[in-house]
Amino acid sequence: MAALAEIDRRRTHAVQVGDVTIGGGAPVVVQSMTNTDTADVDATARQVAELARAGSELVRVTVNNIESARAVPLIRERLDVLGLHVPIVGDFHYNGHRLLAEVSELGTALAKLRINPGNVGFGDKRDRQFEMMIEAALVCDRPVRIGVNWGSLDQDLATGLMDENAARPDPMPADFVLREALVRSALQSAEQAERIGLGADRIVISAKVSRVQDMVAVYRELSRRSDHALHLGLTEAGMGTKGIAATTAALTLLLQDGIGDTIRASLTPRPGEPRTTEVRLCQDVLQSLGLRSFTPQVTACPGCGRTTSTYFQELAQRIEGYIETNMPRWRGRYAGVETLNVAVMGCIVNGPGESKHADIGISLPGTGENPTAPVFVDGVKVKTLRGNRIAEDFQEIVERYIEERFASGNENPSELETSNG
C-alpha cells in the first residue's frame, strides 16, 4: 500500500518552500508551530530551533501585530547564525495585508505565507485584502498556504449554502453542507489566487476540522476535485492520548490512500510538556506506515505474566535512549542508519521469532526461564548472553553492528562473532 500511496501522491503540484519540496511525489513533510509570543525574539528563536532539531522541516509562527512582524526578520537572522535554515511560515489573520505592507523585510524573511480566507477580511473588504496578501506573496516570490478552518469559515459562503440546502426537497445534513463549504472556500480561494497571478505550484491547501471523520471526508473531496498540494492536520486535536489517537487515525486513513503532502499534529501540550511531542508523533505515523524513516525502530513486547521482571523493559528503554542520544552523530556518519530495526523481547514465546525478523534482536529470559539471552543478527543467532552484563554486552553488539553495516554500506555484517555459547 505504501508504494501505491507514493504513486498517487505524484499527482499534486510540487511547491518549493525554501529548500523543502511539498507535493509532486516528494516525501511527506513534517511541520510544527511555535506557541511563544513571536515578538519575543529569544523565546521564539529558541523554540523554532528545538522544533527543527527534533525534525520539524517547516515551522510556523504567529504574525498578529506590528511587534511580531518586526521580530520575524530578527528570528530568521538568529537561526541563520546557528546554522539552522529551517523555513519559517507566517500565520496571518485579519491584518496580514497591513503587516506585510508596513514591514518591508517581513515577506522575504518568511518562506511561506498562511492565509485563512475566513479571517482575511469581511464584507466588501474581503476580496481586496485577500488580493493584497496574494500580491505581497508575488512581490516577495513566496508560496501561500490557503488554510480554511471549521472554526473560522467564511460566513457568507456557509450561510448561502445552508439557504440553498434548506430550499431543497431533500435537504442534506448540516454537517455535509459545512464540509462542502470548507471545500468550496479552499478551492474558490485557490482559483482567485491563480487569477491574480499566483501559480498552482505556489499554492498549498488545507481544510482543518476537529473531528476525524469530517477531516477524512473533506480531504478526500479536496483530493478528488483538485491537484493542489495538501497540508493535513486535525485542528485542536486535544491533549494526551486522546489527541494522539485522533491525529493518528485521521492522518493514517488519508496517507494510506496517498492523500496529503505535509502534516502537522495539533496537540495540546500538557503544562511543561515539550512542543516537540507533536513532531515526534508525525514522524512515528510516517515511519509506522513505511512512508519515511527517521530513527531506528525498537520493537519491544508489552510484557505479561511470563515477564514479571522489569529487566527487558529497562533494556528496551536503555537501547531507545542510546539510539536517541547518538542519532545526531550517526546521521552524519552512517547513511541509512534510520532504517535499523532492533528487537528487545521479554521471553521465549515470541522473543526468538521477533528477534529473527529484526536486523538485530535479543530474546531475554522470562520469569522462571534459564538466564540466557540469544542474540540474532539478520535472522541468524550469533551469540548467547549470560550473567549480569547482558544489557552492556547487547549495547556493544548494537554499536558494532551499526559501525560495520552502515559505515561500509554492507547489508550483512560478517565480522560479528558467531557463538552458541
Side-chain angles (χ1 to χ4, degrees):
M1 290 297 291
L4 292 175
E6 290 167 5
I7 292 171
D8 293 341
R9 195 166 284 113
R10 293 173 190 161
R11 63 181 289 276
T12 60
H13 291 284
V15 180
Q16 201 65 33
V17 183
D19 294 332
V20 176
T21 303
I22 298 175
V28 179
V29 173
V30 173
Q31 60 179 282
S32 184
M33 184 176 184
T34 59
N35 60 359
T36 57
D37 180 356
T38 308
D40 186 336
V41 174
D42 290 339
T44 304
R46 184 165 54 251
Q47 192 173 81
V48 172
E50 290 170 357
L51 292 167
R53 289 174 177 139
S56 184
E57 294 157 304
L58 299 176
V59 179
R60 185 157 45 111
V61 301
T62 297
V63 188
N64 61 328
N65 52 39
I66 194 68
E67 291 79 15
S68 62
R70 289 171 177 158
V72 169
L74 300 177
I75 294 167
R76 177 72 274 166
E77 290 177 7
R78 188 77 56 88
L79 295 168
D80 289 341
V81 168
L82 294 172
L84 293 170
H85 305 298
V86 58
I88 299 177
V89 179
D91 191 65
F92 294 98
H93 298 274
Y94 307 112
N95 59 355
H97 59 292
R98 291 205 314 270
L99 297 176
L100 287 162
E102 292 177 23
V103 182
S104 58
E105 64 271 32
L106 173 59
T108 53
L110 294 168
K112 182 165 65 112
L113 314 181
R114 188 275 178 128
I115 305 173
N116 182 344
N119 286 342
V120 76
F122 303 99
D124 296 337
K125 295 181 179 180
R126 179 190 178 280
D127 286 347
R128 177 54 192 151
Q129 290 176 184
F130 181 83
E131 182 177 332
M132 291 170 68
M133 291 286 290
I134 299 301
E135 288 172 347
L138 289 169
V139 168
C140 61
D141 191 25
R142 293 295 184 263
V144 167
R145 170 155 76 97
I146 294 175
V148 184
N149 194 296
W150 188 286
S152 51
L153 187 57
D154 182 342
Q155 290 304 302
D156 291 338
L157 175 61
T159 300
L161 288 178
M162 283 292 188
D163 290 344
E164 289 179 18
N165 185 59
R168 289 167 52 102
D170 54 343
M172 301 298 292
D175 282 356
F176 178 90
V177 180
L178 287 175
R179 290 174 183 172
E180 177 63 17
L182 279 166
V183 172
R184 285 201 198 181
S185 178
L187 295 181
Q188 289 174 4
S189 297
E191 290 169 2
Q192 185 180 358
E194 290 186 60
R195 286 195 298 270
I196 296 168
L198 193 67
D201 62 346
R202 308 294 278 169
I203 297 172
V204 179
I205 287 177
S206 71
K208 297 291 194 73
V209 296
S210 57
R211 298 193 305 232
V212 172
Q213 295 297 348
D214 290 320
M215 176 177 161
V216 172
V218 165
Y219 276 99
R220 283 179 174 165
E221 193 64 14
L222 280 172
S223 179
R224 187 181 71 83
R225 290 158 63 173
S226 168
D227 56 6
H228 287 290
L230 296 178
H231 167 108
L232 302 186
L234 190 71
T235 191
E236 295 108 22
M239 183 181 287
T241 56
K242 183 270 179 187
I244 291 171
T247 297
T248 301
L251 292 177
T252 298
L253 288 168
L254 292 166
L255 291 169
Q256 187 69 14
D257 285 342
I259 298 171
D261 303 288
T262 179
I263 62 175
R264 185 202 168 195
S266 298
L267 302 179
T268 303
R270 297 186 187 280
E273 182 180 8
R275 191 69 163 177
T276 53
T277 300
E278 64 180 50
V279 178
R280 181 62 182 269
L281 175 57
C282 288
Q283 292 178 328
D284 286 345
V285 168
L286 293 174
Q287 185 149 337
S288 296
L289 290 172
L291 294 175
R292 292 187 67 180
S293 294
F294 297 94
T295 190
Q297 186 78 24
V298 178
T299 301
C301 66
C304 66
R306 302 175 66 93
T307 55
T308 54
S309 167
T310 61
Y311 191 84
F312 84 95
Q313 298 166 320
E314 292 163 1
L315 179 57
Q317 184 179 43
R318 181 169 177 172
I319 293 299
E320 282 196 342
Y322 169 73
I323 288 171
E324 185 175 344
T325 299
N326 285 280
M327 270 305 289
R329 174 175 60 89
W330 288 344
R331 282 194 185 97
R333 296 178 59 185
Y334 304 126
V337 68
E338 65 277 1
T339 64
L340 177 69
N341 186 6
V342 181
V344 180
M345 302 302 294
C347 78
I348 60 173
V349 173
N350 294 317
E354 286 284 358
S355 297
K356 289 177 183 178
H357 287 307
D359 295 316
I360 180 168
I362 185 170
S363 179
L364 293 164
T367 304
E369 294 173 9
N370 292 329
T372 60
V375 175
F376 297 83
V377 173
D378 296 321
V380 178
K381 181 179 174 182
V382 299
K383 187 180 284 290
T384 299
L385 303 179
R386 295 182 175 87
N388 298 324
R389 286 186 49 84
I390 289 178
E392 291 81 0
D393 291 344
F394 183 66
Q395 186 168 303
E396 290 174 7
I397 293 172
V398 170
E399 178 149 4
R400 188 151 33 111
Y401 180 90
I402 290 171
E403 291 174 354
E404 293 177 1
R405 172 175 171 180
F406 295 102
S408 64
N410 290 334
E411 288 299 318
N412 295 295
S414 58
E415 297 181 14
L416 287 173
E417 177 186 354
T418 301
S419 170
N420 291 324

